[in-house]
Amino acid sequence: MLEAGGDVGGTWYWNRYPGARCDVESIEYSYSFDRTLEQEWNWTERYASQPEILDYIRHVADRYDLRRDITFGTRVEAMRWDDAAERWTVRTDDGRSRTARFVIAATGCLSVPSRPAFAGMADFAGELYWTSNWPHDGVDLTGKRVAVVGTGSSGLQTITAIAPDVGSLTVFQRTPSYAVPAHNGPIAARLDEVKPGYPEFREESRLSRLGFHCGEDETGYYAETPAAGVRRELDRRWSDGGLCFTLSFRDVLFDADANEALAEYVRERIRAKVNDPGTAEKLTPRTYPIAAKRMCVDTGYFEVFNRDNVSLVDLGEEPIERFTERGIVAGDAERAFDVIILATGFDAMTGALTAMDIRGTGGALTEKWAAGPRTYLGLMTAGFPNLFMITGPQSPSVLSNMMTSIEYHVDWVTTALEHLRASGRHRMEPDIEAEDNWVNTTNDVGELTLMPRAASWYTGANIPGKQRVFMPFVGGVGTYKQIGDGVAVAGYHGFELT
Ligand code: N01
C-alpha cells in the first residue's frame, strides 16, 4: 500500500481545520466488516469530530496490523501498463518503481484540493492556510483578524468554530449554501439500541438510497401530499436534523415544485436565524435547486452572522480583485487581515486519478477522460486492464455514505480477484460496449434529476477548464449494489477476463 499522507486517515488526516466533523452519523460512518470491531468501538457523539474519526482509523490500522504493509509519505506519480508482461509499473515521488499485476486506486473523491490562484497571493504578509491541508499542530487564531474564503461544508464548519475566538472574522462568499441543522449530541443511548442488531442495520444501509438510514419507507411524494402534510413533514425532518432532510419527499430531486418547497422552507429558516435582513438575504441561496450541490449540515452557522465581530462579503457584489501585503481587495475596499483561510474545495472525483500519469493499452487516462470520465460501474475503465477504482466516477460514491460505498467496492474487487485466481486467469477489463452503456445510463439517470442544473463540484464546474459532466451515479446505493452483484453473479458480465 502506497500512501501520500504521513499516517492513515485520508480525508481525516489532511482536513484538520477547526470544527471538522463528519455529517453522516457515526453509527453509520464506520466499518462493518468485523462484528467484534463494531461492538467494541463506542462513538461519543451523533456526528463524530475529525480527531475522533482519526483515532478510530488509527485503532483499526493497529488492530489489524495494517501499518507494516503501508509505505507512508509516498505519492504515486505515474503508472504504465506493460501489455506483454501484463503488469503495471508504478513510479513514486521517491524515484522508485514497483511492478504489480493488479492496482487498486483508492485515491479518494475529494483528495486533490482546488487552489485558485488569486492575483497577488504571494504578496500577503500574514498567515495563509487551506482547510484541506491544515497544520497538524493547530493554529492560534485568538484575537486575530481572520478572513475565510469559501462557504461549502469546510467553510461553514470553520467559520462556526472560530467565530467566538477570533478578533474579527470576514467571510467571503461566492455562492450561499443550503444547510440543515445537525442537532449533534451524545449518542450512548442510540448505540445501545442499534448494537444488538448491527448486522441487520448495516444490511438495511447497504440497500438504502444514500447508504444510511433515512426512513425512506415512510416517505411520500410531494405532489400527492396536502400543504399541511408538507409542512408537518418538513418540520419533522428539520427537527430530526441532518442530510435526511433532502429525502423528505421522493420527488425532491425530480420535481421542481417539490424542490422549491424544500428550498423555500430552508430560506425561511435562514431569515428567522439572521437578525439583519440584508445579511440574511445575502446568505439565502436562490440560484440553484436544493440538494443539487452538496447540502451542508450546520451547528449555528447562520447565527454566527449576528455576532458583532463577524461580517459577510458577497463576492457577487464585491468580487475579489487581488490579495495584497495587508489583506484582500474586494470591490472598492481593501480589508486587512492577520490570517486568510481558504476553504475553496477540491478537484472532485477524477482529480486524484488524472493527477497521476496513467497510461494503459491505448494511451493516457487524461486523454480518454478529456470529455469526462468513462467507466464501467465506476470500478474500471476500458484500456486500463487490472486497474480497479474504489468509489470511482459513475458510482454512488459522493452521493452516499462513503463508508458503505467504499466497503461495497472493496468487497466487489476482492471477490473479482478471488474469482480470477480460482479460474486461472490474470487479466480483467471492461468491454467498451458495456462501458458505453454504463456511461449513458449514469448520464441519463443524472439528466432525469435537477442535479446537473447547479454549477457544482459534482459536475466539475468548480475547476476552470474541466469538462462539465455530472459524475456520480444518482440511482442510489441499493440499486447500484443490485446491479453490481448481478454483474458478478453473471460471470462478470461486461468484463473481459483472460
Ligand atoms: O468544498 P466546496 P468544501 N473564489 O467545493 C468557494 C465534503 N465535506 O471543502 O460555491 C471564491 O463545497 C465555492 O464557491 P462556489 C462534502 O462532500 C464534508 O467545503 O463554487 N470562492 C464554495 O463556496 C463537501 O461538499 C464535510 O461558488 C471560491 C467553496 O469555495 C465536499 O467535501 C466537511 C473560489 C468550496 O466549497 C467539499 O466541501 C467538509 C474562488 N475562486 C467537506 N473557488 C462533512 O462531512 C471556490 N470557492 C461535514
Side-chain angles (χ1 to χ4, degrees):
M1 285 184 270
L2 300 169
E3 165 58 49
D7 196 2
V8 293
T11 276
W12 305 104
Y13 172 84
W14 299 102
N15 293 266
R16 299 170 187 240
Y17 59 83
R21 188 177 285 286
C22 187
D23 54 19
V24 172
E25 295 185 30
S26 47
I27 219 153
E28 308 260 11
Y29 192 87
S30 48
Y31 293 115
S32 72
F33 66 82
D34 184 338
R35 291 187 184 177
T36 318
L37 171 71
E38 72 186 359
Q39 292 297 327
E40 272 173 8
W41 187 265
N42 288 313
W43 296 100
T44 59
E45 292 177 281
R46 178 178 175 187
Y47 298 96
S49 66
Q50 175 271 332
E52 190 170 10
I53 300 173
L54 193 54
D55 279 353
Y56 172 72
I57 300 171
R58 286 184 176 138
H59 168 75
V60 172
D62 292 340
R63 196 180 191 288
Y64 302 96
D65 196 13
L66 301 180
R67 281 196 175 81
R68 65 176 182 171
D69 291 321
I70 309 177
T71 306
F72 290 107
T74 305
R75 190 175 286 276
V76 173
E77 289 184 333
M79 296 202 290
R80 202 166 296 266
W81 174 254
D82 179 341
D83 213 34
E86 294 192 310
R87 294 183 84 83
W88 284 99
T89 300
V90 179
R91 202 186 70 227
T92 45
D93 61 356
D94 55 2
R96 282 189 59 189
S97 285
R98 297 162 173 85
T99 62
R101 174 80 72 197
F102 299 97
V103 174
I104 301 172
T107 40
C109 298
L110 295 158
S111 51
V112 174
S114 164
R115 298 194 159 173
F118 295 102
M121 237 167 144
D123 299 337
F124 179 58
E127 301 163 60
L128 194 142
Y129 302 104
W130 302 88
T131 49
S132 52
N133 192 3
W134 196 258
H136 287 202
D137 297 333
V139 180
D140 184 8
L141 298 171
T142 318
K144 293 189 176 155
R145 297 167 301 171
V146 178
V148 175
V149 181
T151 52
S153 297
S154 304
L156 253 69
Q157 290 187 325
T158 306
I159 291 160
T160 312
I162 68 175
D165 300 328
V166 299
S168 68
L169 174 59
T170 308
V171 175
F172 290 85
Q173 170 193 271
R174 190 162 72 178
T175 312
S177 288
Y178 293 99
V180 283
H183 300 316
N184 193 23
I187 199 189
R190 178 91 178 114
L191 274 175
D192 290 345
E193 201 180 290
V194 168
K195 274 191 172 179
Y198 229 149
E200 296 76 28
F201 182 84
R202 300 288 201 184
E203 193 54 20
E204 285 162 11
S205 297
R206 291 184 198 111
L207 293 171
S208 67
R209 175 142 149 223
L210 298 179
F212 54 91
H213 289 73
C214 270
E216 288 165 58
D217 296 347
E218 310 140 31
T219 310
Y221 289 89
Y222 170 81
E224 295 169 0
T225 311
V230 168
R231 185 77 201 183
R232 212 169 28 248
E233 179 61 3
L234 294 177
D235 285 346
R236 182 179 77 81
R237 292 277 186 180
W238 190 263
S239 64
D240 284 352
L243 292 170
C244 293
F245 180 76
T246 57
L247 294 196
S248 298
F249 299 101
R250 287 174 187 266
D251 36 6
V252 168
L253 280 180
F254 301 95
D255 175 351
D257 291 341
N259 192 280
E260 181 57 18
L262 254 72
E264 192 47 39
Y265 183 90
V266 176
R267 293 181 196 127
E268 185 190 314
R269 293 284 185 166
I270 295 171
R271 284 193 290 272
K273 288 179 187 194
V274 181
N275 297 342
D276 173 51
T279 307
E281 182 53 30
K282 286 179 184 169
L283 288 166
T284 299
R286 295 191 183 280
T287 54
Y288 60 98
I290 191 167
K293 289 175 94 161
R294 172 61 146 67
M295 288 283 291
C296 299
V297 178
D298 85 292
T299 302
Y301 169 68
F302 294 104
E303 292 85 340
V304 155
F305 293 90
N306 296 332
R307 299 179 61 93
D308 290 339
N309 67 336
V310 178
S311 56
L312 179 68
V313 178
D314 180 345
L315 296 179
E317 293 170 2
E318 298 179 81
I320 294 179
E321 198 179 294
R322 63 180 190 280
F323 284 29
T324 63
E325 192 182 343
R326 281 164 26 94
I328 296 177
V329 178
D332 293 334
E334 181 184 21
R335 295 172 175 85
F337 301 111
D338 304 309
V339 180
I340 297 176
I341 299 172
L342 296 148
T344 47
F346 299 88
D347 183 355
M349 307 200 68
T350 54
L353 292 159
T354 54
M356 298 181 281
D357 180 14
I358 305 180
R359 290 176 192 257
T361 52
L365 185 69
T366 45
E367 280 164 31
K368 179 176 174 185
W369 285 8
R374 302 192 71 78
T375 76
Y376 182 33
L377 299 170
L379 278 160
M380 297 191 93
T381 182
F384 298 82
N386 292 1
L387 172 61
F388 295 93
M389 296 171 283
I390 302 299
T391 64
Q394 289 146 359
S395 74
S397 65
V398 292
L399 297 181
S400 71
N401 175 2
M402 287 301 288
M403 294 298 256
T404 313
S405 288
I406 288 168
E407 283 198 321
Y408 180 65
H409 271 184
V410 169
D411 287 346
W412 195 97
V413 172
T414 307
T415 309
L417 291 175
E418 284 167 357
H419 176 78
L420 285 171
R421 187 161 60 188
S423 58
R425 287 177 279 192
H426 44 77
R427 179 176 166 139
M428 181 165 178
E429 185 182 347
D431 300 334
I432 196 72
E433 196 186 346
E435 179 171 295
D436 289 346
N437 285 340
W438 185 250
V439 173
N440 291 340
T441 301
T442 52
N443 288 344
D444 290 350
V445 178
E447 285 300 329
L448 285 174
T449 74
L450 301 167
M451 297 198 74
R453 296 196 192 174
S456 70
W457 58 255
Y458 295 139
T459 66
N462 63 327
I463 303 296
K466 188 168 176 175
Q467 179 71 28
R468 268 208 195 190
V469 44
F470 186 71
M471 292 183 282
F473 173 71
V474 71
V477 166
T479 306
Y480 176 81
K481 175 177 158 52
Q482 285 167 347
I483 296 168
D485 287 357
V487 164
V489 166
Y492 295 92
H493 180 74
F495 290 96
E496 199 178 321
L497 276 56
T498 50

